[in-house]
Amino acid sequence: MGATQPTVTGSANRALIGATIGFFIGAGSVSLFGPTAHIFLKAMHLSPQQVGLLVAMPMLTGSLLRIPFGASVDRNGGRLPFLVLLIASVIGIAGLYWMLLTLYPNHLTAKYYPMLLTFGALAGCGIATFSVGIGQVSYWYSKKKQGWALAVFGGLGDSSPGFVVLILPAVIMTVGLWGGYLFSLAIIIVGIIIYYLMGLNAPYYQFYKRNHDTARATEEAKKYGQELFPTGGTWHTLLLSAKHWRTWPLVILYFTNFGGFLALTAWLPIFWQTYFHVGAFHSVVLTAVFSLIAAFIRVYGGKLSDEMGGEKTAVISLIVLLVGSVIMTFSSLLWLTIIGEILVGAGMGVNNAAVFKLVPHYVPDAVGGTAGWVGGLGCLGGFAIPPILGDIVALVGINGYALGFGIYIILSILCLLLVWLLYRTRANLTAHLSR
């Protein structure tokens, strides 16, 4: 009787669904403080700078952890680091729930601000699942389908902050502030269970786990259509990609567009309520509109990048971002600023898809490491920008809420120059790879 043919558990589509749901749940922590910042501001008597740091804190860990965890996918396939990050996020949200349950409203004073930041940092670990999911999904799909799969993963997963901005305030109005965070805790626990059942590693990693033979695992995985395989350990791929100068323009592009997206998702509720005196409900609706446009249009951005090329798509989206940023910086009319917000969201969303179309082209021999740097340091924009916006308000006054968007004018112009630089050096890259 012949030997039993090795089998694979799961499928590419199942893994995509699991990873997308896992990232959707984890990414929601980016909006934990944005819709509720005004509550903490009043209860704890925080300064604008402290509010800016608070709403940005989940992005700090969510950004930095993307680098090592994203690169670690090459070693273990993604499932384990994905679960570790989601569990850390659960601990952070549980801590926030405990704080609010025991301290809010009468005893939540400024002395608990460091504790609030600590639990926010832990909660932000869920955001780092993005770079893990990018690698995990990529290994499941053929090269022809990776663009579509990654756009679905990133676009649908990125829609989470928009839904959190809409739902969390409604839950808080119904059951109180602590109840809102209890709801968030329950949701992420459900998400962990779904990911555990569906977020399986690609064929290569399943075969390698059985016999620890890379050659045999590669041979068997190819029978199931796997085309992308790990080329080195975590630190090898990180160091190799860091040596490519083209990695760093891509980091700045993602810093501006995805980091900028995260920053605005956290900052816009404060902006709408303070600058235009929009009510709490309408401010979260306007923020959700921005967040959901940026997320869902990213799926279309992936398709557009496949058809037009990453560079052309990036240029068009950056011009849209630039126009929207100019409007938001200098407009004093609510309706015109809303148009500016929509343009900024659309530009950022399409550009986020274009960046990951450019990664395998410009750094083809270290895709995993480059994705780690781009996803990690790029996401750091969500941490770095809100405190700067708070500083501008503290320096200028109420008009600083609008003038702060000038940051995006500067960044979009810089990114246009960097795309031009990458495009001009394409010939050199081709010559280098052909040697």
Side-chain angles (χ1 to χ4, degrees):
M1 189 172 179
T4 303
Q5 176 70 24
T7 58
V8 167
T9 303
S11 65
N13 289 341
R14 177 179 170 181
L16 174 60
I17 293 171
T20 302
I21 292 175
F23 175 47
F24 179 90
I25 296 300
S29 57
V30 74
S31 297
L32 279 176
F33 292 129
T36 58
H38 63 287
I39 298 176
F40 291 109
L41 187 152
K42 293 178 181 178
M44 304 175 75
H45 305 289
L46 303 178
S47 68
Q49 294 96 326
Q50 288 176 312
V51 173
L53 180 60
L54 178 65
V55 300
M57 183 52 67
M59 272 79 87
L60 177 61
T61 45
S63 302
L64 297 180
L65 290 180
R66 284 184 173 200
I67 300 170
F69 276 83
S72 72
V73 175
D74 284 347
R75 177 176 294 275
N76 54 50
R79 180 176 169 83
L80 178 60
F82 210 115
L83 288 170
V84 168
L85 290 169
L86 288 180
I87 291 171
S89 187
V90 162
I91 295 172
I93 296 173
L96 292 171
Y97 164 66
W98 171 79
M99 278 188 66
L100 295 172
L101 182 64
T102 57
L103 299 174
Y104 181 79
N106 297 324
H107 304 291
L108 188 63
T109 61
K111 73 176 183 179
Y112 292 104
Y113 181 71
M115 184 183 295
L116 193 65
L117 292 179
T118 300
F119 285 130
L122 270 174
C125 291
I127 306 169
T129 55
F130 172 78
S131 60
V132 178
I134 285 287
Q136 187 178 23
V137 170
S138 295
Y139 281 124
W140 267 107
Y141 281 87
S142 66
K143 294 178 181 179
K144 291 183 178 179
K145 295 183 178 180
Q146 280 175 6
W148 168 83
L150 294 178
V152 170
F153 167 76
L156 298 185
D158 278 345
S159 67
S160 175
F163 286 112
V164 172
V165 165
L166 277 177
I167 297 172
L168 185 58
V171 175
I172 290 173
M173 289 177 62
T174 303
V175 297
L177 184 60
W178 65 268
Y181 284 90
L182 178 61
F183 174 79
S184 299
L185 180 62
I187 291 296
I188 196 169
I189 290 174
V190 172
I192 289 175
I193 295 172
I194 294 174
Y195 177 80
Y196 180 81
L197 296 174
M198 302 186 68
L200 301 171
N201 284 335
Y204 168 84
Y205 295 97
Q206 294 189 33
F207 290 128
Y208 180 77
K209 184 178 180 180
R210 295 172 190 172
N211 53 47
H212 298 282
D213 185 330
T214 56
R216 183 178 175 186
T218 301
E219 180 183 349
E220 295 294 340
K222 287 180 178 179
K223 297 177 183 178
Y224 286 86
Q226 185 169 339
E227 297 180 1
L228 184 64
F229 296 92
T231 56
T234 300
W235 300 113
H236 170 77
T237 187
L238 281 175
L239 291 173
L240 182 60
S241 58
K243 293 178 181 178
H244 285 270
W245 71 264
R246 292 178 179 86
T247 296
W248 305 109
L250 297 172
V251 167
I252 295 173
L253 283 171
Y254 209 61
F255 178 97
T256 298
N257 292 278
F258 186 72
F261 157 76
L262 294 178
L264 290 183
T265 298
W267 183 257
L268 282 174
I270 306 168
F271 165 74
W272 291 118
Q273 291 184 62
T274 308
Y275 187 68
F276 280 107
H277 306 291
V278 173
F281 172 75
H282 290 97
S283 70
V284 298
V285 169
L286 288 172
T287 303
V289 167
F290 162 80
S291 184
L292 293 176
I293 286 176
F296 288 128
I297 203 171
R298 181 171 181 165
V299 179
Y300 174 72
K303 183 174 182 293
L304 194 65
S305 297
D306 285 337
E307 295 175 353
M308 296 180 55
E311 294 92 349
K312 290 182 180 179
T313 304
V315 168
I316 294 172
S317 60
L318 287 169
I319 291 173
V320 172
L321 170 60
L322 176 59
V323 172
S325 300
V326 170
I327 292 174
M328 294 192 74
T329 302
F330 298 106
S331 169
S332 59
L333 301 174
L334 177 61
W335 65 268
L336 185 57
T337 304
I338 292 174
I339 292 175
E341 175 195 68
I342 292 172
L343 290 175
V344 168
M348 286 179 171
V350 173
N351 196 270
N352 286 334
V355 169
F356 278 95
K357 176 70 175 179
L358 295 175
V359 165
H361 175 79
Y362 283 104
V363 197
D365 51 345
V367 174
T370 306
W373 290 117
V374 171
L377 298 183
C379 183
L380 198 59
F383 171 78
I385 294 176
I388 296 175
L389 296 174
D391 288 340
I392 294 174
V393 172
L395 180 66
V396 180
I398 190 70
N399 290 332
Y401 280 101
L403 294 177
F405 295 118
I407 292 174
Y408 292 100
I409 296 177
I410 297 171
L411 288 173
S412 57
I413 293 174
L414 173 62
C415 288
L416 282 168
L417 293 174
L418 291 175
V419 174
W420 174 81
L421 176 63
L422 288 172
Y423 185 77
R424 285 294 301 268
T425 61
R426 281 172 63 101
N428 295 338
L429 176 65
T430 303
H432 169 74
L433 292 175
S434 64
R435 289 200 294 265

